[in-house]
Amino acid sequence: MADPGARHGDLGRAVVVTASDRAAAGVYGDRSGPVLVNALRELGFAVDDAVVVPDGEPVEAALRAAVAEGAALVVTSGGTGLGPRDRTPEATRAVLEREVPGIAEALRADGVARGVPAAMLSRGLAGVAGRTLVVNVAGSTGAARDAAALLGPVLVHAVRQLRGADHG
């Protein structure tokens, strides 16, 4: 693994939150969270293993904890669809101070362009809470890989902006 500081400097800490009733209950292991963790580490963020929580209110609690702890970035995986327990966007909206709609729009458009028409059903959000960028990603490993590939450079730029860096 490359030295994270060699590529992007100290980007700070990122947190990955996987929203899944079944993974939280141990029915199966979290598969998308580790994909995001590894991608964020490669970008230069300090990232612990994914936090796995049930859908719904525990997602909001995990987001609030990450923001309170000063995370530069929080990426969620799962809970963005139309299922009755898919409540990640609602939990996220309760935490956000400002939305950044272009990120979520880009994720949906990229998914459709990659031949996944169901990507347009994602209700994921992105925005800012304090100085923390929060991004919702769909819960599949493919969605996690694609999001990391699409958003990597943008996440670095956004985190730097939130710290007051110039737009250059």
Side-chain angles (χ1 to χ4, degrees):
M1 181 190 298
D3 173 16
R7 289 184 63 195
H8 298 292
D10 179 26
L11 293 174
R13 195 167 72 81
V15 175
V16 174
V17 177
T18 299
S20 170
D21 290 335
R22 291 176 285 181
V27 174
Y28 54 72
D30 175 20
R31 295 183 304 264
S32 60
V35 171
L36 292 167
V37 166
N38 290 333
L40 294 174
R41 286 177 180 158
E42 287 294 318
L43 286 172
F45 289 95
V47 192
D48 292 333
D49 289 342
V51 176
V52 182
V53 297
D55 289 301
E57 291 180 14
V59 176
E60 182 178 342
L63 290 173
R64 289 191 184 282
V67 170
E69 292 166 6
L73 172 66
V74 181
V75 180
T76 70
S77 175
T80 64
L82 301 179
R85 299 269 306 140
D86 289 337
R87 307 295 295 169
T88 298
E90 289 76 14
T92 302
R93 185 168 277 125
V95 175
L96 296 181
E97 296 165 8
R98 299 180 286 163
E99 289 192 29
V100 183
I103 294 174
E105 291 165 4
L107 287 169
R108 285 186 282 273
D110 184 65
V112 171
R114 289 177 185 269
V116 183
M120 70 179 78
L121 299 177
S122 173
R123 300 178 309 109
L125 301 174
V128 176
R131 294 182 68 175
T132 304
L133 178 65
V134 180
V135 178
N136 298 156
V137 174
S140 71
T141 56
R145 271 192 311 274
D146 294 346
L150 176 69
L151 297 180
V154 173
L155 297 178
V156 170
H157 181 72
V159 165
R160 286 183 173 156
Q161 275 193 314
L162 285 169
R163 290 183 175 173
D166 196 0
H167 293 274

